Structures are given as C-alpha cells and as structure tokens.
Amino acid sequence: MRNVLLLALLAVSPLALAKTECTSADKAQWQNPDTFQQALKSQGYEIKKFKVTDGNCYEIYGWDKDKRKVEIYFDPVSGKKVKEEID
C-alpha cells in the first residue's frame, strides 16, 4: 500500500504544484482592481469572486460572456491573461 501511495505522489507533476506568478512590479504600477473588474464586466464576464493571489495575480472566478464557468489569472499591470481554465 505504501508503494502505491509513493508512486501516486511521484506521479504528480511539479507543474501542477507550481504557483502561478504574474508580476514582480511594484503595486503602484498595478491597475486599479475596481476599474479592472468593471472592464471585465463590460466584456461580458460575470465575476463571482475576485482576489489577489500569492503570485501577484488578479484572479477571477465566474462566467464568461458565453456563460461558461471560468477561473482566470491576469497580470495586474498589463491586464493580460496569464492562465485560464474553462469548465
């Protein structure tokens, strides 16, 4: 049983455990979070949850304009998508 657990732990990709990093820029250079969220909403996003991650990303949970469930990480300086998961 221990061998099975060990193999399962070794099979986990290091990339799956990696933290998404967005920027090392000073927060004074970041876009205003409220303005950023309003811009996303004007593009058709419905935001359920918005947060700043440990990797200095703006992260949203919600739905896109096609009503698909999304989790998206954005660079708070440029506003570009860094990572996106769609259900």
Side-chain angles (χ1 to χ4, degrees):
M1 186 65 163
R2 287 186 208 170
N3 289 339
V4 173
L5 179 58
L6 180 59
L7 287 174
L9 290 173
L10 291 174
V12 174
S13 166
L15 293 176
L17 299 175
K19 176 171 64 170
T20 301
E21 296 286 336
C22 290
T23 188
S24 58
D26 187 81
K27 289 192 177 187
Q29 297 175 333
W30 291 21
Q31 295 183 40
N32 177 283
D34 294 327
T35 305
F36 185 78
Q37 288 179 73
Q38 283 306 115
L40 290 176
K41 290 176 183 177
S42 71
Q43 296 171 33
Y45 288 95
E46 183 180 335
I47 301 171
K48 180 179 179 183
K49 182 177 180 181
F50 177 89
K51 70 177 193 172
V52 176
T53 68
D54 292 337
N56 292 325
C57 303
Y58 284 162
E59 181 181 16
I60 67 160
Y61 296 88
W63 296 267
D64 67 9
K65 64 180 178 167
D66 298 321
K67 303 300 179 203
R68 296 177 297 183
K69 193 173 183 179
V70 295
E71 176 183 350
I72 308 173
Y73 294 78
F74 295 91
D75 180 308
V77 177
S78 69
K80 292 183 180 179
K81 289 180 189 177
V82 175
K83 181 179 174 186
E84 179 176 29
E85 295 181 23
I86 300 174
D87 283 338

